Amino acid sequence: GVSRLITVTQMKSDNANEEALHGADKQRGLIKAQKDLRGQQRALDDKLRTDKAVTGTEAQEIRNMLQQAELQYSDVSFRGDGKLGTEGDQKANQDMADAIKNRFQDAIKDLEAEDKLGNFEIQDLMSTYNQAETLASSVLKKRDDTSNAVIGKV
């Protein structure tokens, strides 16, 4: 009975440890994805800031950035000369630029929320691991204490 209990607690401990390591790997992936998205967002900001106009080549580069980030890209188009502004085609172009920026910001927020949730999961798994380790240690100690007491009485 005691040996089985020890085995079960050790298995529980090992499982919690493995899951925590898997969670940590997932967290690293999320952080890398956040970093990549922020880099693309900065590149987008640079394209939209330089001369307040988006060329055909820049529009295609923006579509490629969105596609690479797995964000909606098929509707990206800029009217007329691609200039950004507050009236007519320029207003439509500005609205498109703002919508693209929002896609990146929303994607980053989603990754940050997933990252926070993952941190809580890892903390919970580590708590489970520590509890299992403590239980296993306690059972082993009680078994040893009982063995010593029996030997002492004999």
Side-chain angles (χ1 to χ4, degrees):
V2 172
S3 295
R4 285 186 195 154
L5 180 59
I6 292 169
T7 301
V8 168
T9 57
Q10 287 173 337
M11 285 175 48
K12 186 175 180 178
S13 170
D14 290 344
N15 288 341
N17 188 42
E18 285 298 316
E19 288 183 35
L21 290 173
H22 175 70
D25 289 341
K26 183 179 173 186
Q27 291 301 102
R28 281 189 282 281
L30 287 172
I31 290 169
K32 183 186 180 317
Q34 287 176 28
K35 181 180 174 186
D36 292 346
L37 276 175
R38 285 191 179 98
Q40 289 175 324
Q41 187 178 32
R42 279 190 298 278
L44 174 67
D45 288 342
D46 289 343
K47 286 183 189 321
L48 298 176
R49 192 176 326 150
T50 52
D51 58 3
K52 286 289 193 179
V54 179
T55 66
T57 302
E58 289 173 326
Q60 186 57 48
E61 290 171 355
I62 291 169
R63 281 187 212 93
N64 292 342
M65 287 169 44
L66 288 165
Q67 185 178 17
Q68 182 183 0
E70 298 179 5
L71 300 173
Q72 175 63 31
Y73 66 92
S74 61
D75 63 337
V76 173
S77 65
F78 293 90
R79 298 181 185 175
D81 58 7
K83 287 188 177 181
L84 307 177
T86 58
E87 295 184 22
D89 284 347
Q90 292 181 1
K91 170 84 168 107
N93 291 340
Q94 184 65 52
D95 291 345
M96 176 57 64
D98 293 342
I100 293 167
K101 288 179 183 181
N102 287 338
R103 290 177 196 174
F104 278 106
Q105 289 170 350
D106 290 345
I108 289 170
K109 285 178 187 174
D110 289 346
L111 286 174
E112 287 172 346
E114 194 175 340
D115 186 28
K116 286 180 185 176
L117 182 62
N119 284 335
F120 288 126
E121 289 173 358
I122 289 172
Q123 289 173 354
D124 185 50
L125 288 168
M126 290 310 298
S127 176
T128 301
Y129 170 79
N130 289 334
Q131 289 172 357
E133 284 290 309
T134 301
L135 179 60
S137 176
S138 176
V139 169
L140 286 170
K141 182 175 180 343
K142 287 182 182 187
R143 184 187 69 181
D144 290 344
D145 289 349
T146 302
S147 295
N148 290 337
V150 169
I151 292 171
K153 291 193 180 219
V154 171

